[in-house]
Amino acid sequence: MYFASDNTAPVHPKVMESLTRANAGYAPSYGGDAIMDTVRARIRELFEAPQAAVYLVATGSTANALSLATFCPPWGAVYCHPRAHIEEDECGAPEFYTGGAKLVLVDGDDAKMTPANLRQKIADTVQGDVHRVQRGMVSITNVTEMGAVYSTAEVAALCDIGKSFGLPCHMDGARFANALVATNASPAEMTWKAGIDVLSFGGTKNGLMGVEAVVIFDPEKAWEFELRRKRSGHLFSKHRYLSAQMQAYLADDLWLSLARDANAMGARLSAGIAAAKGGKLLHPTDANMVFATLPRAAHRRAKDAGATYHFWPVDRSLDGPDDAALSARMVCSWCTTADDVDRFLSTISG
Amino acid sequence: MYFASDNTAPVHPKVMESLTRANAGYAPSYGGDAIMDTVRARIRELFEAPQAAVYLVATGSTANALSLATFCPPWGAVYCHPRAHIEEDECGAPEFYTGGAKLVLVDGDDAKMTPANLRQKIADTVQGDVHRVQRGMVSITNVTEMGAVYSTAEVAALCDIGKSFGLPCHMDGARFANALVATNASPAEMTWKAGIDVLSFGGTKNGLMGVEAVVIFDPEKAWEFELRRKRSGHLFSKHRYLSAQMQAYLADDLWLSLARDANAMGARLSAGIAAAKGGKLLHPTDANMVFATLPRAAHRRAKDAGATYHFWPVDRSLDGPDDAALSARMVCSWCTTADDVDRFLSTISG
Amino acid sequence: MYFASDNTAPVHPKVMESLTRANAGYAPSYGGDAIMDTVRARIRELFEAPQAAVYLVATGSTANALSLATFCPPWGAVYCHPRAHIEEDECGAPEFYTGGAKLVLVDGDDAKMTPANLRQKIADTVQGDVHRVQRGMVSITNVTEMGAVYSTAEVAALCDIGKSFGLPCHMDGARFANALVATNASPAEMTWKAGIDVLSFGGTKNGLMGVEAVVIFDPEKAWEFELRRKRSGHLFSKHRYLSAQMQAYLADDLWLSLARDANAMGARLSAGIAAAKGGKLLHPTDANMVFATLPRAAHRRAKDAGATYHFWPVDRSLDGPDDAALSARMVCSWCTTADDVDRFLSTISG
Amino acid sequence: MYFASDNTAPVHPKVMESLTRANAGYAPSYGGDAIMDTVRARIRELFEAPQAAVYLVATGSTANALSLATFCPPWGAVYCHPRAHIEEDECGAPEFYTGGAKLVLVDGDDAKMTPANLRQKIADTVQGDVHRVQRGMVSITNVTEMGAVYSTAEVAALCDIGKSFGLPCHMDGARFANALVATNASPAEMTWKAGIDVLSFGGTKNGLMGVEAVVIFDPEKAWEFELRRKRSGHLFSKHRYLSAQMQAYLADDLWLSLARDANAMGARLSAGIAAAKGGKLLHPTDANMVFATLPRAAHRRAKDAGATYHFWPVDRSLDGPDDAALSARMVCSWCTTADDVDRFLSTISG
């Protein structure tokens, strides 16, 4: 009953095997490894993007921050949701990497920006007025931090607005696989076909040890990205061990299979909570994250039984009357089992 | 015959085993893993530094750049050798991370700063003159980039000068283990007892997949370091896999044992080249790196036989008469074998 | 009828005279001029702050950005109003100078942060969570950008909250003199006695050519400020000409006298508009700035008669029916005359 | 006998008159003043560059740092002389503004880079190696910090090398007028005709209060420059007072006339020192700066008589035997008189 985060889950055995396979003899360093060539080719194929520049880094914040820094000037506005990971969970990495760009917050339910709000915020950024930060880029988090998923049409609607102002569009896809399986979209449909210019393609939360790909659909900025990656310490010397993780991830659609499992467990958990006494969903469970309130008594039983998850916001206290609602975030991962979920549901039901 | 770099070597099997062991079930993320607690305790013990702050990052440039940024203000001068890794091989990471500090170059043979040169350069940085960058910190690379090793007395001499000006001292120990076994010094003797305030304690070049520890002997700056690490994307969510590598590294003195092997192979290779016809060492081989010239004919035979290593500087060409000398860098690693070395020596002898 | 901004007004004759007086012979450069000594002494006296560090820069954005950078780390949150000059009118200067701090917006009417909102936003910045920016500092704009003035009690209430969280407090006093005469507060009462640690003490908008003082009440950070000023190009070689402006400003209470005149004209204009047909004030006119709506017909008559001022927001259009309201900003300065105001009022009355 | 620096001299009376003339009534702010239009037109005409973008800032460090930041990426190498102002006298402003570019030092006598050294240093910056900073731009200081002047042919030789590597070229012309009159070159010949892309066109050291123009010959980067200027606090609200200074400077060739006077006094002083007992020039006096050694006895007499100038380097002490040589820097300005010079020469002769 470990629902704290998908990044507390272990590495998938096939990924471990791939690492072991990669560990034979010498290999060129700094991305010159042969495995990276196959990974690059595979990602281009998957995304139907034969020209795309593909890079691996080890953390999601890095994928995001380097993507933003490459596409947004220091005086640019980055349009994102107030609950976006880049706004709330990276300790200012976007500002650090861009040299001081400003995150301009665009509201909407379930951590999804609405087209109308995005258009308004961009329009409000008066262009050509030297006293103001300038329109910079759009960043869309999919799956959102509240567990909702943008459809490809929704992504396209936001990108269309961005494009109409000439802005590049980024997708923070830390849970990209979960978003794809939730929508049955292809990688291309969810990204460049919808208007995305650069993607943080997550793996760590979905069974890898620590690898995210950055996919840049127009390779013009590729060399700049490489310099920014190196200069920030994110180019690995023993790069083959990043490549090997991604290789296993993409082989036999493992990545989609793992995300499908996690989403299924999210749905099971969500349905169970919604049906539980005092249970109430706060956001739609489109993927593997459940946001819900439960009576404090239910939480107490769960915690006593060893369930691990965060109240939400994280600084909320369990103190209070038994029947008082308390909100929580529960995240399923590739290795969450139906038994885990059912035990939890049984526990909260008392 | 793979002497291109110690970072082209594979991961030691015991490290792979440790990763596999760590891969059981769920674990707290972002450094909250239990393995990190044992690693921290072990490093404190090894360094006889019970208060030290200990952090793990994945690359050497990161360990260096975060260390410098934490101890040197944006207007500070970082005193280092012109051949230092931070000056030549990190694409400006120190400048990026510090917010624009200036690397002031202190010369000396074999990539070792001399005390006299260091004292002069610090003295030349007029203090209290607002037009100049201010004295910031000292950074010592040990093993140096030319394969020489500073003795503890030499480190202490440099640190004493730094301290006499009130400056913090950093050691870039990407090959720290190799330096230790070369000098028979203890970790404490090579660092805080000699005056080092912060150490980049390398593992990647010596059998790990990608882990360096940063050891801060006075923990006052620990929280600042943590924020800088997170903000630059270098805090791993699945941190346990960094911890597990370092755990294996330190167990049963594996780290020292691997470095001893690498240094022994360096000595064997160095002696053989010195004895070869036309062979000439350019720097003392104190550890695992050999810098030497050989006749182009010898290089041609080696390359034809499949030997892998870099001419030095890296852009030098093999073109030229058979007997014309060409310099090269050859690096041994934990997995270099005597057979490798002997075959190479036999090849160059023709 | 020139109400576009107080920075479109000329320099007061006494300031020009002071510049001419200062222009005799040679003088030490870079702040070593004797006039600066008298200015520093005078400001310390005026503020009852004998230890204060006092520096001159040429623009308000500079005074603000250097103050923030000196007191707030790169990972800090700067709490300010969404209408604050540092948020809206400096093209990201705070982010640039701080190395990427985040401006966290605290709402309230008339561009005044409310204590409750400030407390909430600070409390929401979870401290000790490495994933979030940390509490940094508070920045209060007085006069606000909407023309309202914080009383000393209101300033103290905000600073008290900041202090209760251990945060330094900044005042953007681009119109500091106008705030003082509006409240009858002393400089000390409006600043350090209320909890302000660093003040941007404006002069440019109130009759100077281009000088703002930065007053740092605890001089511990003085040297850092000097380095930041130099490093950003804001230390003037011929500094005496900044000093001379400030000297004239402070002599015989010229600064207060000019602000009193500007505020009086603001009040006269405000009262007239409020009494005009279709005139409606949008914010209280506490100082020299009037925000009001007027029918488009009134605006058209004013513009036809040569009145100069901005619609508000600045991108609003005069197109529309005669009786449709259109909001505008009108700013009085030290040289606005009662005749100017009365002619304007007469014009809009048709 | 005030030879401390040309920035200790007063403002020329015609500049003061121009400021007074500009001080009539209201004027648009932030560079929208009509005087700026005439200044822009005049500079374009003088430089035979009808498309040039022209901006005014108040200090030389700012002109340089903004020019570098606009043309050199954060990972670029800026090639300059070790004695360049940008390297020695700006407290790291170039590093701050560029986001951490590296100044790569190119030696040569009299603070003039030699073409051979420049070519070597650029060639040594291995391009396309992600571990190294990349070739960025060339910065030429004319007049050099040692008082020598590059001829237009010498500038062209350096720019040709830069251009052959595809690099933009900057001239730090803090003493641009002095360089022009020393060489009889036209503004165009000294700049874009020789290959300069962006010029810091100094005025402050030559009779202005505090104005330097930045002239960008290809206006493509103009808007970026404007944003960088604003964002760093260097856009003046009461901009007309910068414009008015530059207007007077350029009227009736005042700028060249003042520089001619300063250079003539430099020559007179230089010749007298060379002829004095124990006097020895350290660098050619091509413009208004004299670097020379004199016996300490001569310095003592000069100081006793009230002469003001710096020993060189600035931290040198007058202590020592009467006949021991001590080097010094003496700078003439537009208001240095022949009488000043002759009195000084007479004093040192004893």
Side-chain angles (χ1 to χ4, degrees), chain D residues 101-161:
Chain D
K102 189 183 282 286
L103 275 60
V104 172
L105 306 181
V106 179
D107 223 330
D109 291 342
D110 307 321
K112 290 161 81 167
M113 297 188 280
T114 68
N117 287 347
L118 177 61
R119 184 187 304 278
Q120 188 61 51
K121 288 282 187 174
I122 300 177
D124 285 350
T125 312
V126 185
Q127 203 71 354
D129 176 352
V130 81
H131 304 278
R132 308 290 179 99
V133 296
Q134 303 295 300
R135 296 165 188 159
M137 76 187 296
V138 176
S139 180
I140 301 167
T141 314
N142 204 14
V143 181
T144 77
E145 293 297 311
M146 296 295 115
V149 172
Y150 288 99
S151 68
T152 55
E154 288 173 320
V155 171
L158 294 174
C159 290
D160 283 354
I161 292 168

Side-chain angles (χ1 to χ4, degrees), chain D residues 75-86:
Chain D
W75 45 83
V78 177
Y79 302 96
C80 66
H81 194 277
R83 294 283 82 78
H85 198 271
I86 60 173

Side-chain angles (χ1 to χ4, degrees), chain A:
Chain A
M1 297 191 295
Y2 209 104
F3 306 111
S5 173
D6 28 16
N7 61 36
T8 60
V11 177
H12 191 273
K14 289 194 177 167
V15 176
M16 296 302 287
E17 288 162 21
S18 184
L19 285 172
T20 301
R21 264 196 312 278
N23 197 38
Y26 297 91
S29 48
Y30 295 116
D33 55 291
I35 311 175
M36 184 60 205
D37 293 337
T38 70
V39 164
R40 189 183 300 107
R42 180 71 182 122
I43 287 181
R44 287 173 171 173
E45 182 186 36
L46 272 170
F47 283 83
E48 306 164 44
Q51 307 300 329
V54 178
Y55 299 107
L56 303 183
V57 296
T59 75
S61 295
T62 305
N64 291 337
L66 287 174
S67 296
L68 298 180
T70 302
F71 282 89
C72 183
W75 46 83
V78 177
Y79 302 94
C80 66
H81 195 277
R83 292 282 82 78
H85 198 272
I86 59 172
E87 166 68 7
E88 290 217 312
D89 294 299
E90 302 183 354
C91 194
E95 289 90 344
F96 172 54
Y97 274 88
T98 56
K102 188 184 282 286
L103 276 59
V104 172
L105 307 179
V106 178
D107 223 331
D109 290 344
D110 307 320
K112 290 162 82 167
M113 297 187 280
T114 68
N117 287 347
L118 176 61
R119 185 188 303 279
Q120 187 62 51
K121 287 282 187 175
I122 300 178
D124 285 351
T125 312
V126 184
Q127 203 72 354
D129 177 351
V130 82
H131 303 277
R132 307 291 180 100
V133 296
Q134 302 295 300
R135 296 163 187 161
M137 76 187 295
V138 176
S139 181
I140 302 167
T141 313
N142 202 16
V143 181
T144 76
E145 293 298 310
M146 297 295 115
V149 172
Y150 288 99
S151 68
T152 55
E154 288 172 320
V155 171
L158 294 174
C159 291
D160 282 354
I161 292 167
K163 298 294 178 200
S164 74
F165 289 100
L167 305 186
C169 299
H170 166 249
M171 179 172 284
D172 174 0
R175 295 183 179 92
F176 185 69
N178 305 78
L180 282 195
V181 301
T183 55
N184 281 317
S186 75
E189 287 164 355
M190 186 55 88
T191 56
W192 65 268
K193 287 185 176 175
I196 294 295
D197 298 283
V198 56
L199 168 70
S200 300
F201 175 23
T204 310
K205 289 178 192 290
N206 192 32
L208 299 191
M209 188 177 279
V211 175
E212 318 274 309
V214 175
V215 186
I216 307 178
F217 294 103
D218 174 349
E220 195 197 346
K221 296 250 188 181
W223 178 235
E224 176 176 338
F225 185 92
E226 289 194 50
L227 290 161
R228 290 186 181 276
R229 177 177 60 163
K230 170 64 196 177
R231 182 174 174 74
S232 57
H234 288 292
L235 175 59
F236 274 56
S237 58
K238 293 186 171 174
H239 184 279
R240 60 171 138 168
Y241 302 100
L242 301 190
S243 308
Q245 294 179 56
M246 188 52 77
Q247 188 182 38
Y249 192 56
L250 301 178
D252 304 322
D253 287 345
L254 178 65
W255 63 302
L256 296 171
S257 166
L258 297 180
R260 214 167 274 126
D261 291 349
N263 283 11
M265 289 304 107
R268 189 183 191 105
L269 180 61
S270 180
I273 288 174
K277 191 182 165 211
K280 188 180 146 211
L281 296 177
L282 297 171
H283 299 287
T285 304
D286 291 343
N288 64 323
M289 292 190 284
V290 182
F291 289 80
T293 55
L294 283 167
R296 273 171 169 75
H299 284 302
R300 287 189 185 114
R301 283 193 301 272
K303 294 284 181 182
D304 286 348
T308 303
Y309 56 94
H310 293 295
F311 301 131
W312 200 255
V314 292
D315 55 351
R316 289 298 156 85
S317 162
L318 190 52
D319 294 346
D322 262 11
D323 56 353
L326 177 61
S327 51
R329 183 186 87 149
M330 282 152 288
V331 187
C332 296
S333 76
W334 67 270
C335 71
T336 304
T337 62
D339 182 60
D340 264 356
V341 170
D342 294 345
R343 275 200 300 139
F344 177 80
L345 294 173
S346 156
T347 304
I348 61 170
S349 300

Side-chain angles (χ1 to χ4, degrees), chain B residues 88-281:
Chain B
E88 290 217 311
D89 295 298
E90 302 182 353
C91 194
E95 289 89 346
F96 172 55
Y97 274 88
T98 57
K102 189 184 281 285
L103 275 60
V104 172
L105 306 179
V106 179
D107 223 330
D109 291 343
D110 307 322
K112 290 162 80 168
M113 297 187 282
T114 68
N117 287 348
L118 177 61
R119 185 187 303 280
Q120 187 63 49
K121 287 283 188 174
I122 301 179
D124 286 351
T125 314
V126 184
Q127 202 72 355
D129 176 351
V130 82
H131 304 277
R132 308 291 180 100
V133 296
Q134 303 293 299
R135 294 163 188 162
M137 77 186 297
V138 176
S139 181
I140 301 167
T141 314
N142 204 13
V143 180
T144 75
E145 293 298 310
M146 297 295 114
V149 173
Y150 289 99
S151 69
T152 56
E154 288 173 318
V155 171
L158 294 174
C159 291
D160 283 354
I161 292 167
K163 299 294 179 200
S164 73
F165 288 100
L167 305 186
C169 297
H170 166 250
M171 180 172 283
D172 174 359
R175 297 184 178 91
F176 186 68
N178 305 78
L180 281 194
V181 300
T183 56
N184 281 316
S186 75
E189 286 163 355
M190 185 55 88
T191 56
W192 65 267
K193 286 186 176 175
I196 295 296
D197 298 284
V198 57
L199 169 70
S200 300
F201 175 23
T204 311
K205 290 178 193 290
N206 192 32
L208 299 189
M209 186 178 281
V211 176
E212 318 274 309
V214 174
V215 186
I216 307 177
F217 294 102
D218 173 348
E220 194 197 346
K221 296 251 187 179
W223 178 235
E224 176 177 337
F225 184 92
E226 290 194 49
L227 290 161
R228 290 187 182 276
R229 179 177 57 164
K230 171 63 197 177
R231 181 174 175 74
S232 56
H234 288 292
L235 176 60
F236 275 55
S237 57
K238 293 186 171 173
H239 185 279
R240 58 170 138 168
Y241 302 100
L242 301 190
S243 308
Q245 294 179 56
M246 188 51 79
Q247 187 182 39
Y249 192 56
L250 300 177
D252 305 322
D253 287 344
L254 178 65
W255 63 302
L256 296 171
S257 167
L258 297 180
R260 214 168 274 125
D261 291 348
N263 283 10
M265 289 303 106
R268 187 182 192 106
L269 179 61
S270 179
I273 287 174
K277 189 178 165 215
K280 190 179 145 211
L281 297 177

